Amino acid sequence: MTSTPCTTGVRGHDAGAARPEAVLLGIALLITAGTAAVLLRWWILAALVSLLVGTGVLAAVAGLCVLTWLYLREVHRIMFGGDHPAEPAPDGREDPAHRGYHGGPAWWDLCAAVRRTWRASALWGVLLLPHVTAHALVVGAYLAAAWSLAGALRLVDTGLRTVRRIRMVCPECYRRLPYPAYLCGRCGRRHDTVRPGARGLLRRRCRCDRTLPTLILLGAADLRTLCPHCDRPLEHRPGEVREFLLPLFGGTGAGKTRLAAGLHLALEQAARHGPDSYLEPLGEEAARLSREGARVLAPDHRTRPTPPGRKVRAATARLGAGRRALVLQVFDAAGERFNRSATAEELAYLGEASTFVLVVDPLGIPAVWRCLTADERDRLAGERSHTRDPELAYGAVLDEVQRHRRAPERGPSGRLAVVVTRGDLVRGTSVDPGAAPVREWAEHHLGLGNLLARAEADFGSVQVFLTSAVVGPDGLVDPSLHTLSAWLLRTQGRAFAALARAPVPAPVPAGGAR
């Protein structure tokens, strides 16, 4: 009975001693759990943030790839699939040709690609700003290269025509042409500006899909051409070779028409016997001279004067000498046009020429006519022209030349040939020059001293010729026409002057030596 209390007392003491340890263990566990919770919370947040960032990046990359695919798809559809914006039809002031890619479609395609992609992606299309910037830079570089090439081609074309002294003048309206108008060989549409530009660099495509060259060097001269001012067809293929304008002027009946026919026939006969040479008539006027030249120059033929009201049209022909060619435009105006300034103003081609021919009829000069005997006057009365003083025609033409020239000349310039016609008629008469120099004979016997002195002050070179615009029994023109032709063509190259000066062999009679 005495041991029970002792056992109970000991247990009570042990239980009370164990309580602080349990409290400490609980506190430690709580601290550990709290620390772990705090530490795990930051890791969880970091993991969540990383997951969100990664998901956003992946979504952005995927979205950018989708937007890029959409943009490239639209670019492919536009540029290669034919789904490009419709080209506006040219209005009445524009050529009927499709625009080159640099002439507008490059920018139109860029704008169409951006517009269609934005329509499909809404505000997300802002992410395509780098793509659009890169595309715009590529388009800008292409346009800069294309327009630089167009400018270089134009510069080369203009430079070559300047070096070769090629200028284009319409034989109908006499205006200088910066470039002719061309007709499409398939549909006949007219193209006024075919040079490299917005509608093509090396070639342009007509609305009928026929391609046309843009440069004369590339074959544009082979197309049918029109004058852009008067719409007249230009048969001489302007711009391909040099053009030589030769105005003939003088009084009524002085022999201009006969002289023009004689020069044409002289060059035709010289080219016929020259090596690799030819004379090709271009247009009706030159064709008529080729058909009727020998008949007009017959000694007994009376040439009808050019009608005063007839519009002056150039007799255009292409002269070839070896590998070189030259377009001749001979203008024969009625003598009445030089009697009044109102009609002389119509001769605008005088301002485009640099070589001129003043035709003088010696029989029409009163002093010369009085020097002839009565028998000579009776025999030559039907040949005499009742022309006015040649100085009047010279003065009217000189005023027009100075008025129509594009820039005032400093000092004498140009060349003038004073051609005394009817040499075959004055030979053997009282005014026959004989062996005397032609210039001295013209000054002292024809009374042209004042005119020649004035011409020397107005022109850089003045030469006097005595010609006979007739053909001999063998059908060949008088040699004086070859001499005149050689002087006129001297500034156009030695080949043409040598061709004109070369003697034409007489035809061999039938049964003669071979």
Side-chain angles (χ1 to χ4, degrees):
M1 291 298 293
T2 59
S3 59
T4 302
C6 295
T7 303
T8 304
V10 173
R11 288 178 180 175
H13 178 77
D14 291 340
R19 286 192 190 117
E21 296 177 357
V23 172
L24 292 175
L25 181 60
I27 294 173
L29 290 175
L30 289 174
I31 294 174
T32 303
T35 303
V38 172
L39 295 175
L40 288 176
R41 184 186 65 182
W42 292 109
W43 282 102
I44 292 172
L45 291 176
L48 292 176
V49 171
S50 299
L51 181 60
L52 292 176
V53 171
T55 303
V57 171
L58 291 177
V61 171
L64 186 60
C65 291
V66 172
L67 290 175
T68 303
W69 176 79
L70 290 175
Y71 188 77
L72 295 179
R73 185 190 65 176
E74 294 300 331
V75 171
H76 183 271
R77 286 180 177 178
I78 292 172
M79 298 185 62
F80 305 102
D83 192 17
H84 50 75
E87 178 184 357
D91 56 24
R93 297 172 298 175
E94 298 177 331
D95 283 354
H98 294 282
R99 288 182 173 270
Y101 195 65
H102 62 285
W107 282 120
W108 300 342
D109 290 353
L110 171 62
C111 295
V114 173
R115 183 173 57 253
R116 296 178 186 179
T117 307
W118 178 272
R119 189 181 304 161
S121 61
L123 295 178
W124 295 105
V126 177
L127 299 177
L128 291 175
L129 183 60
H131 303 69
V132 176
T133 303
H135 193 174
L137 291 176
V138 172
V139 171
Y142 166 73
L143 293 181
W147 283 106
S148 297
L149 178 59
L153 291 174
R154 287 195 175 201
L155 184 63
V156 170
D157 179 68
T158 303
L160 287 178
R161 287 192 287 117
T162 302
V163 170
R164 297 166 63 183
R165 293 188 295 170
I166 295 177
R167 58 179 175 177
M168 296 171 279
V169 178
C170 175
E172 182 75 15
C173 66
Y174 326 128
R175 298 177 66 177
R176 182 175 295 188
L177 312 178
Y179 234 71
Y182 293 92
L183 296 180
C184 176
R186 177 181 297 173
C187 65
R189 288 186 173 95
R190 171 173 167 170
H191 298 254
D192 288 327
T193 54
V194 298
R195 301 189 74 188
R199 301 189 181 274
L201 295 177
L202 298 178
R203 303 188 72 86
R204 62 163 46 195
R205 188 162 58 93
C206 182
R207 302 294 292 184
C208 69
D209 290 335
R210 174 74 176 268
T211 59
L212 307 176
T214 60
L215 295 173
I216 294 176
L217 299 176
L218 300 177
D222 296 332
L223 303 174
R224 289 187 298 165
T225 56
L226 296 175
C227 174
H229 304 294
C230 66
D231 298 333
R232 180 188 186 274
L234 304 175
E235 301 92 351
H236 62 285
R237 303 196 299 273
E240 187 178 29
V241 297
R242 190 184 306 170
E243 297 183 14
F244 179 59
L245 277 65
L246 185 63
L248 277 62
F249 64 99
T252 304
K256 300 183 298 299
T257 302
R258 198 178 184 103
L259 180 62
L263 292 174
H264 185 90
L265 186 57
L267 293 175
E268 186 178 31
Q269 292 179 354
R272 192 181 304 157
H273 297 87
D276 299 328
S277 58
Y278 61 90
L279 183 70
E280 176 189 2
L282 304 172
E284 179 58 31
E285 293 294 323
R288 181 180 58 82
L289 292 180
S290 295
R291 291 192 309 266
E292 305 176 359
R295 182 180 62 84
V296 170
L297 297 180
D300 56 348
H301 180 78
R302 297 290 300 275
T303 305
R304 298 177 58 184
T306 303
R310 180 186 177 187
K311 183 176 177 59
V312 183
R313 291 182 175 86
T316 307
R318 184 184 300 269
L319 177 64
R323 300 177 59 182
R324 304 189 62 184
L326 180 70
V327 172
L328 300 175
Q329 294 189 28
V330 181
F331 294 88
D332 174 24
E336 290 82 359
R337 289 182 176 270
F338 303 104
N339 295 337
R340 294 183 297 109
S341 59
T343 55
E345 290 178 356
E346 302 173 8
L347 311 178
Y349 60 83
L350 296 173
E352 302 294 343
S354 59
T355 300
F356 304 85
V357 176
L358 172 62
V359 182
V360 178
D361 175 20
L363 301 179
I365 301 176
V368 176
W369 186 254
R370 289 192 297 267
C371 292
L372 297 176
T373 64
D375 293 340
E376 292 171 346
R377 287 197 293 267
D378 292 340
R379 177 170 56 87
L380 300 175
E383 304 292 342
R384 184 190 183 194
S385 63
H386 299 279
T387 182
R388 302 179 65 181
D389 190 344
E391 291 194 30
L392 297 178
Y394 173 80
V397 170
L398 182 63
D399 293 341
E400 291 304 309
V401 169
Q402 295 176 346
R403 189 173 72 88
H404 286 288
R405 275 180 176 168
R406 294 177 176 270
E409 301 289 344
R410 297 181 179 179
S413 63
R415 304 164 70 236
L416 175 67
V418 180
V419 180
V420 181
T421 59
R422 294 184 167 89
D424 55 313
L425 299 180
V426 300
R427 298 287 184 185
T429 64
S430 303
V431 294
D432 188 344
V438 178
R439 185 179 183 111
E440 294 182 4
W441 174 71
E443 290 178 349
H444 298 94
H445 291 82
L446 303 185
L448 300 181
N450 293 335
L451 188 150
L452 295 177
R454 181 182 176 185
E456 291 282 1
D458 298 329
F459 290 89
S461 176
V462 178
Q463 191 75 17
V464 183
F465 297 89
L466 177 62
T467 63
S468 300
V470 294
V471 294
D474 53 4
L476 300 180
V477 298
D478 191 84
S480 61
L481 296 176
H482 290 283
T483 303
L484 174 60
S485 301
W487 186 87
L488 294 175
L489 296 176
R490 187 174 63 185
T491 58
Q492 304 304 312
R494 297 180 180 178
F496 300 109
L499 174 65
R501 190 184 301 110
V504 178
V508 179
R514 295 184 179 179

